[in-house]
Amino acid sequence: MKGNLARAFYIALGAVLITSEGMNYSMIAPFFPIEARHKGTSDAMIGLVIGSFSLTSCISSIILSKFVSSKLQFFFVIGGCIIAGVCLICLGLLEFASPGPSFYIMSMLCRMLNGFASAMMWSTAYPAMCSINEKWTAFLAPLLEFSAGFGVIIGPPIGSFLYSSWGYATPFYVIGAFQIILSLYFLSITFSFACSCKAGDTVNNTISVKILYKLAKNYRMVLISFPFILSTTMVGLIDTVLAPYLVNVLQMSTNLEGLVFAIQATFFAIANICNFPLPNLGYSGILYAIGPALTALGGLAFCLQAYITALQSFPYVCFCLSLISFGSSAVIMNCYLVYDKVTLHMEIATGENVKLVSASWVNILFSSGGTFGATFFGGVFYHRFGIFPAFFTLSLVAVFSFTINVFLLHSLGLLQKIYFGTPSSNEVIVPLLGSTKFPENS
């Protein structure tokens, strides 16, 4: 019992650490675009600064896959969080930077290094958490995504509150310092926790760039992964364009703008809590498939404001964000199990390597979507066409993604009940258009 209590405490602390990394990523959304404009930064450059995080994270994930191993996974997580906290504090120091190129160049450098740190953590967080107790995987995988997603959503309202109360630098100092202190404490107990692990727990499993290349060149895997890319693209777009829309179009104060993000955080938390037990019940494939449909509804509903000005209001924006939050939660909370099953079906990886592959793949998808959302849709597309065409285009893509994924997941047998755990020895792997039956217990 004492061993299980120690593991539970370690898991809870790890969940808080992952939440802090989510906050690190998203907290600049409400105020950085506005502050950057005061420093003479264009909309396109703001999108590039925000998107440089995800772009660097995507490239770093591919490079780090050569060095990631099960022996080093906890130290990748901790090291990434420490570096991310330092980068956040450095970004806060830019309040002393001169307006113009010096501000956005240094901002981009901080975000790029922060993206590398994020890649270190996300390339190993999933297998690291699950290695604590393999029997708890069905609980730990949703907990990981719940913690990360919750951090991403609560970051903006917390950042907005600190910014409106004490100025530009305060959110960076507070959250950055919290992340560093928590990481150092997590590191201190990791040594004692690692010493108590069995020898069998430290088998060195690694993956290679070739495995990720096999996934990337398989069009079925890319199409199945599209809902996750879409969800993170929508997040990147919202991070970049929502704050200016609320201030300039709806004439909201900074405090009320932060309240919109806080309400979105509440909806996302409710969605995550509702989704949390469902992987144990076997509904991950179904929820993953319907996520893009909810995202499309939220995006199209948001676009109605362009034609019905009476809808341009605080409650209606919150309603649209709630639909997008529920759709994103359905995809994000269930992605690891779906990708584990698809990777096993394609016979690309086996055993513990499956989790390492899924972790690296999810990080690449998250980074790619964030880059595309912030730089292309939130920068170039938004600057040229406006906020409503950007949301409308992503909503149409979500409808396409929903249609394709229902077909592909059904053909792989993933719209029936699926559970965590590797396939049993008597499981028959059938062709793509057949029906694959996965084990119903771990």
Side-chain angles (χ1 to χ4, degrees):
M1 173 62 79
K2 188 177 293 186
N4 282 337
L5 285 176
R7 289 171 188 262
F9 173 74
Y10 192 72
I11 289 169
L13 192 63
V16 176
L17 188 64
I18 291 168
T19 300
S20 73
E21 178 60 21
M23 294 168 60
N24 182 308
Y25 165 75
S26 67
M27 56 158 284
I28 69 172
F31 60 88
F32 182 80
I34 298 171
E35 194 72 24
R37 286 189 183 89
H38 293 161
K39 292 281 190 178
T41 308
S42 66
D43 289 340
M45 188 57 65
I46 291 171
L48 189 59
V49 169
I50 294 176
S52 63
F53 176 102
S54 298
L55 178 62
T56 307
S57 182
C58 179
I59 296 172
S60 301
S61 298
I62 299 172
I63 297 173
L64 289 172
S65 65
K66 186 73 175 176
F67 307 99
V68 167
S69 71
S70 54
K71 283 185 176 179
L72 298 175
Q73 56 195 14
F74 281 105
F75 298 100
F76 267 72
V77 172
I78 297 167
C81 286
I82 292 174
I83 296 172
V86 172
C87 290
L88 208 58
I89 292 174
C90 290
L91 201 56
L93 292 172
L94 292 183
E95 71 170 332
F96 303 109
S98 302
S102 59
F103 175 80
Y104 61 73
I105 289 175
M106 287 188 287
S107 297
M108 187 176 298
L109 290 176
C110 288
R111 291 288 286 177
M112 289 174 69
L113 184 56
N114 205 341
F116 172 79
S118 177
M120 287 182 63
M121 194 204 78
W122 286 115
S123 295
T124 51
Y126 172 51
M129 291 287 282
C130 292
S131 69
I132 295 172
N133 191 329
E134 288 289 337
K135 295 180 180 179
W136 297 352
T137 299
F139 168 78
L140 293 174
L143 176 65
L144 172 68
E145 285 304 327
F146 174 84
S147 303
F150 188 65
V152 168
I153 296 300
I154 67 172
I158 292 176
S160 179
F161 170 74
L162 294 174
Y163 169 74
S164 60
S165 301
W166 293 286
Y168 170 81
T170 305
F172 298 104
Y173 296 159
V174 171
I175 297 178
F178 171 74
Q179 193 170 15
I180 293 171
I181 294 170
L182 185 63
S183 299
L184 292 175
Y185 178 63
F186 193 76
L187 177 63
S188 69
I189 65 173
T190 294
F191 285 108
S192 59
F193 185 82
C195 292
S196 66
C197 293
K198 298 178 182 178
D201 293 336
T202 58
V203 176
N204 190 29
N205 296 292
T206 59
I207 61 174
S208 67
V209 177
K210 290 182 179 179
I211 292 178
L212 297 177
Y213 176 70
K214 285 182 180 180
L215 289 175
K217 75 176 184 179
N218 189 294
Y219 76 93
R220 292 167 296 183
M221 186 64 187
V222 172
L223 289 174
I224 289 172
S225 303
F226 214 76
F228 192 95
I229 299 176
L230 180 68
S231 296
T232 53
T233 300
M234 189 68 84
V235 170
L237 174 64
I238 291 173
D239 284 349
T240 309
V241 306
L242 184 60
Y245 175 77
L246 296 175
V247 172
N248 298 328
V249 177
L250 301 189
Q251 301 296 314
M252 290 186 177
S253 66
T254 305
N255 290 332
L256 191 57
E257 170 204 332
L259 181 60
V260 173
F261 282 101
I263 290 175
Q264 184 190 13
T266 302
F267 280 121
F268 194 84
I270 293 171
N272 281 352
I273 291 170
C274 294
N275 277 321
F276 201 92
L278 296 180
N280 277 324
L281 300 177
Y283 296 114
S284 287
I286 297 171
L287 292 168
Y288 185 87
I290 67 175
L294 293 175
T295 300
L297 286 175
L300 292 173
F302 188 87
C303 293
L304 289 178
Q305 295 175 94
Y307 304 100
I308 307 174
T309 55
L311 296 178
Q312 294 181 358
S313 63
F314 172 79
Y316 187 76
V317 170
C318 292
F319 167 73
C320 298
L321 292 179
S322 70
L323 288 176
I324 294 172
S325 296
F326 271 86
S328 299
S329 173
V331 171
I332 292 171
M333 289 286 286
N334 297 283
C335 64
Y336 282 114
L337 176 54
V338 172
Y339 299 158
D340 280 358
K341 296 302 184 184
V342 175
T343 301
L344 286 166
H345 181 274
M346 295 168 61
E347 299 181 325
I348 289 178
T350 58
E352 184 64 26
N353 276 5
V354 171
K355 293 184 177 63
L356 287 171
V357 170
S358 293
S360 294
W361 185 247
V362 167
N363 191 43
I364 291 172
L365 297 178
F366 181 86
S367 305
S368 301
T371 302
F372 203 54
T375 57
F376 179 73
F377 280 101
V380 178
F381 196 95
Y382 165 67
H383 182 70
R384 185 175 179 84
F385 299 104
I387 187 171
F388 296 120
F391 272 89
F392 182 74
T393 302
L394 282 179
S395 299
L396 291 183
V397 175
V399 173
F400 168 79
S401 178
F402 167 72
T403 306
I404 294 297
N405 265 268
V406 167
F407 169 74
L408 287 175
L409 293 177
H410 174 71
S411 67
L412 287 169
L414 296 180
L415 291 184
Q416 63 183 6
K417 288 189 175 184
I418 57 174
Y419 300 86
F420 279 95
T422 55
S424 58
S425 58
N426 60 358
E427 180 181 342
V428 178
I429 302 297
V430 297
L432 174 66
L433 297 181
S435 176
T436 303
K437 181 173 177 60
F438 290 102
E440 297 195 355
N441 42 51
S442 308

